[in-house]
Every structure is written in C-alpha cells, then in structure tokens.
Amino acid sequence: MVSQSDINPLATVMVVDDDPAIRMLVSRRLEHAGYTAVAADSGENALELLQKRNVDLMVLDVMMPGLDGYQVLEHVRARHSQTALPVIMLTARDKGEDVIRALRLGANDYALKPVDFQSLLKRMEVHLSLRGDRGSTLGNYLIQHRVGAGGMGVVYAAVDRRDNRALALKVLPRSLTLDDSYVRRFLREAALAERLDHPNVVRVLDAGRFDETYFIAMELVDGQNLAEIVDKGPLSVKQALGIARQVAAGLLALKEAGILHRDIKPENVLVSKSGVAKITDFGIAREAMSVGRMTEIGVGVGSVLYASPEQMSGVGDYRSDLYSMGCTLFYMLTGSDPFPSNKPVEWIVDHKLNRPPKITDVNAALPVPVAEFVARLMAAKPEKRVQSYEEVDRLLKQLLVHPAVTRGFSPRRWLRWTLAVGAALLAAGLVFQLARYG
C-alpha cells in the first residue's frame, strides 16, 4: 500500500485520455494518493497544456482520435527527455509490438486497462524517483544519467558503490516484468552474455533483481553506436572494413561459445573513442544448439531490415549473423539501410530472396572487390555466403591492403572528386564553345 508519506506530494501528473470516465477516475485516484492531477481530453489538448503547466509525469492513453498516444509521445520527446518528463502509456491492447514501439519512441513504462491503481502508483513512484537520474540508486549502483533505450530496457551510466567502478546499467521496464516471457528473455540475455570475455563483446558484470526491478550491469563503453556515427555520413572503406573485422571477431567468440546473436545491426555495435568495436544487446540471442522456432513475443525475427531470410522464417545458424553483418557493412559504406523501412515486410522478404540490393547503386565509388564481398555476405542462400568467420577475417585482411582501399577513397572524397571533375568538364566545354564560336 502506497501512503501519502511515500510519494512526492508536489508531483503534478497529467492524465491524457479521450474517455471522460477513465480520465476522471484516474485523476481522482491520483489526487486521493496525494498527487496534483491535470486532465487532458485529447492529444492536442495535452500538448497545449504542457506549454502552460509544469508537469512531472504523464499518463498517456494510446488510442485516441486526432493525435494518438504515439504521436503525442513523439512531440513530447522532441522537447522533454525521458528523465525530465516520464511517460507511462495506458492502453487496453496487450500486444508485445505495441510495448516495444512505445518504449522505442521514448515511453518510460506501459500499463494496461483496466487500471491496477496500486501497480500504477508504484511505477509512478519509481519513475519520479529516477527523474533527473543523478543521485538515484538501484541496489549497489548509483545512477548518473541515461545513455540510451531500446525495446528491452533503458540503459543508464552508473557507478558501483562497492568499488567506484563506472558501468552501464540496463533496467527492464516495470511494465514488462508483468509478462514472464519478457523476464525470461531479459535473464537469458544476461546468462548468455556472461559466458563471453572478448574485447569485441560488451562484458556483463552482474545481473539480478532489486525489489521489483530486474537489471544487467555491463561494461560502459565511452563512445557511440554505429547508427549514431554513420548519421554524420558514411565511413571510409578502410574504417568500415576495420570495424567489420572486429565485429566478425566478436561473432566468432559468440559462435565458439555456442551463441547466435540474431540481432546484429548498427544500433547494436558500439565503437569506443579509441576505435574498438563491441557487440552489445543479447535480447534475442539464443543457444546454437536450440532447436525449433522461438515463439516468444519479439523473438525470432530481429530487426527486419537486417535479419536474414531464413531467420525471418524462424530458422538459421551462425550464417544468419554473417548476413546481418553484411547488412551492417552495407550501412557503414552507404549511410543507408540495405532495404527501405517504409515497405511492407512481404516486400522486404521478396527482395532479400530474389532482388538483393547492389551496394554500388548507392555508392558507385566502392572498389569492386569490396562490393563483391558485401554481396557474398548478403547472399539469399546461406550456402552462397562466406562459410566461416575465419574466412571472413582472411578476406577482410586482403581487402584492407587492396590498392583500391589503401588509396583512401571515401564517400566524401568521391563526392568532392566527382564535383571537381564535373566542374572541370563544364569549364572545358565552355572554353571549347568560346573557341569555336568566339
């Protein structure tokens, strides 16, 4: 039972729901518990009120006419971080993909209707206590600030108070702890990652549960993921191949430990400031000896744009990770996903199987051997791909000393060269015309 003394009596909570009965009921229960409730009957109304009122937390309905909860959440996150304004999504839809979508858009938590008020109040207390992050604690760990979020949790920079060691703390959202399948998946991620000790894999240091919160303590990487790095522009061929070689080394360590990662993509490859690449996020990894399809929510497909065709059918071996690595290399060299994200899944699967993309259609500057290597990794049939990580490493070493690569061509340099050549040709044409007719 949460008492008046257990909560922050000054906290203001905005309740956004188009159903007047639910809106009034939730608001009254919050006020009875000591909160100040601000009610909004639509997404548009909520955004207007946010400009006029200071709000400490938002309880946001998903399904609303006009701006729905997801759209409101996007607007909110454009102005307020997850720690500055926590948002708990409220919905009657109990679907895993909805939970993942909400968390990826920046929701802090997810609650189902009909509302369990005691559970809601406990979650609110947790998120309000983490508001601002610094100084909050979770067991032996002192939270410093938020560094990222994904479908399976929020990651914080933290310090182990026992030895003052800096680390990353991944926390399973409280809403997902209500579903045993998500808890099992989270604990499996920790158990699989704990097997590994390799410089190109993020190390897991600790895992467990404190009160009702599950966590994984990991090595803190001082750097960015590939998606953040490439957002500034494609990498040079030499840099991309160097990172790919490190990723392959990490994947070989996984294979030797009997683990399939199954979600290699730019967001799951961290690169430190010193240039060391590390594989992270074992949320949908599984043991290589496992048989049959994995039917848990969100498991078995991975990120559609980067998953192999056979993995999308629920099967596959380590060569599926090789395919995903090829897609990631495609992204590093072009700055584009290998397949458009706005297409239906059926279209993407068809193109993976029958019409794989040609990387030179996106970056014509790439040396032919590099383009051929990417094409082999992204072959539709596993038997057509490079067949071992040792072979991948050998080919990458050969490409890194290839004359076309050592000359240092990069997408930016190719663009400058193309513009310079175009300008020179245009100037030459003008001179010719003036000489001819002048």
Side-chain angles (χ1 to χ4, degrees):
M1 185 75 176
V2 179
S3 66
Q4 178 84 11
S5 61
D6 291 328
I7 60 176
N8 178 2
L10 300 178
T12 299
V13 180
M14 179 180 287
V15 179
V16 188
D17 199 306
D18 62 307
D19 186 321
I22 294 176
R23 189 170 64 248
M24 182 180 298
L25 179 61
V26 174
S27 297
R28 285 182 175 176
R29 293 294 294 268
L30 292 177
E31 288 173 348
H32 180 72
Y35 290 97
T36 297
V38 177
D41 60 6
S42 67
E44 293 83 355
N45 184 209
L47 295 177
E48 290 176 8
L49 287 172
L50 272 180
Q51 296 178 357
K52 303 173 183 176
R53 298 287 302 267
N54 290 323
V55 175
D56 299 302
L57 183 143
M58 178 182 286
V59 177
L60 177 61
D61 185 29
V62 171
M63 304 300 292
M64 295 185 293
L67 288 178
D68 64 21
Y70 297 124
Q71 293 169 310
V72 174
L73 181 58
E74 288 184 287
H75 282 284
V76 170
R77 285 293 167 255
R79 296 175 175 82
H80 307 278
S81 69
Q82 283 184 297
T83 52
L85 179 55
V87 176
I88 298 177
M89 304 298 283
L90 195 62
T91 181
R93 288 165 56 94
D94 185 12
K95 291 191 175 182
E97 57 267 31
D98 291 342
V99 177
I100 292 174
R101 180 183 178 190
L103 293 173
R104 285 180 173 167
L105 287 175
N108 297 70
D109 215 330
Y110 202 92
L112 293 175
K113 299 178 181 178
V115 179
D116 179 338
F117 284 98
Q118 292 306 314
S119 174
L120 178 62
L121 290 173
K122 287 181 180 179
R123 295 182 191 183
M124 289 171 54
E125 180 186 355
V126 170
H127 293 300
L128 286 169
S129 71
L130 291 173
R131 191 166 179 256
D133 292 326
R134 185 173 293 279
S136 301
T137 60
L138 181 66
N140 294 315
Y141 304 105
L142 176 67
I143 293 173
Q144 295 189 310
H145 58 86
R146 176 182 172 274
V147 295
M152 280 296 291
V154 180
V155 181
Y156 297 94
V159 172
D160 189 331
R161 295 186 293 176
R162 294 167 294 186
D163 57 11
N164 207 35
R165 175 170 52 175
L167 47 79
L169 199 64
K170 185 173 183 177
V171 177
L172 182 67
R174 189 66 62 87
S175 59
L176 299 187
T177 64
L178 302 177
D179 188 327
D180 289 341
S181 66
Y182 281 105
V183 173
R184 288 196 303 271
R185 176 173 159 184
F186 191 78
L187 295 177
R188 182 176 63 237
E189 173 181 357
L192 291 177
E194 280 180 325
R195 294 186 193 176
L196 300 160
D197 185 10
H198 189 276
N200 297 120
V201 179
V202 171
R203 286 186 300 124
V204 166
L205 308 170
D206 186 20
R209 174 181 176 179
F210 182 75
D211 290 337
E212 297 182 18
T213 302
Y214 291 88
F215 67 88
I216 301 173
M218 305 175 290
E219 168 189 7
L220 180 64
V221 179
D222 185 15
Q224 296 178 298
N225 65 45
L226 279 177
E228 294 168 327
I229 294 171
V230 178
D231 187 54
K232 303 177 183 70
L235 305 184
S236 69
V237 174
K238 187 174 182 180
Q239 186 180 8
L241 295 179
I243 291 174
R245 191 178 176 200
Q246 294 184 67
V247 173
L251 287 174
L252 174 59
L254 265 68
K255 179 175 180 287
E256 290 175 342
I259 299 170
L260 306 178
H261 188 280
R262 306 196 313 143
D263 200 17
I264 295 296
K265 59 184 179 181
E267 290 82 359
N268 288 342
V269 177
L270 305 178
V271 182
S272 71
K273 290 182 178 179
S274 61
V276 178
K278 293 178 179 284
I279 298 169
T280 190
D281 199 338
F282 289 73
I284 66 170
R286 76 174 186 185
E287 294 181 283
M289 295 302 292
S290 299
V291 295
R293 300 189 182 191
M294 301 187 73
T295 57
E296 295 174 67
I297 297 172
V299 177
V301 175
S303 297
V304 171
L305 303 183
Y306 290 80
S308 69
E310 67 272 16
Q311 184 179 330
M312 296 181 71
S313 299
V315 296
D317 55 23
Y318 69 92
R319 291 172 296 184
S320 289
D321 283 345
L322 275 173
Y323 180 95
S324 300
M325 189 188 106
C327 291
T328 302
L329 182 55
F330 185 106
Y331 178 81
M332 286 192 279
L333 292 167
T334 65
S336 302
D337 292 319
F339 302 93
S341 59
N342 60 348
K343 295 293 186 180
V345 173
E346 294 78 10
W347 186 97
I348 294 172
V349 172
D350 176 65
H351 280 67
K352 283 177 182 284
L353 289 170
N354 303 308
R355 288 174 281 181
K358 292 183 179 179
I359 194 169
T360 50
D361 289 344
V362 185
N363 184 356
L366 287 176
V368 172
V370 174
E372 291 176 344
F373 176 70
V374 175
R376 281 190 67 187
L377 290 177
M378 293 180 60
K381 296 181 178 180
E383 60 270 22
K384 297 293 185 180
R385 298 172 202 153
V386 184
Q387 293 298 297
S388 72
Y389 289 113
E390 292 84 356
E391 179 70 2
V392 167
D393 186 68
R394 186 184 68 80
L395 292 172
L396 282 169
K397 283 194 288 187
Q398 289 180 354
L399 289 173
L400 282 165
V401 296
H402 193 284
V405 174
T406 56
R407 283 197 298 266
F409 273 106
S410 69
R412 295 183 184 89
R413 182 175 296 182
W414 174 259
L415 178 60
R416 290 196 298 270
W417 182 85
T418 302
L419 292 174
V421 170
L425 291 173
L426 179 61
L430 288 174
V431 170
F432 174 78
Q433 292 296 328
L434 287 172
R436 182 178 181 183
Y437 298 107

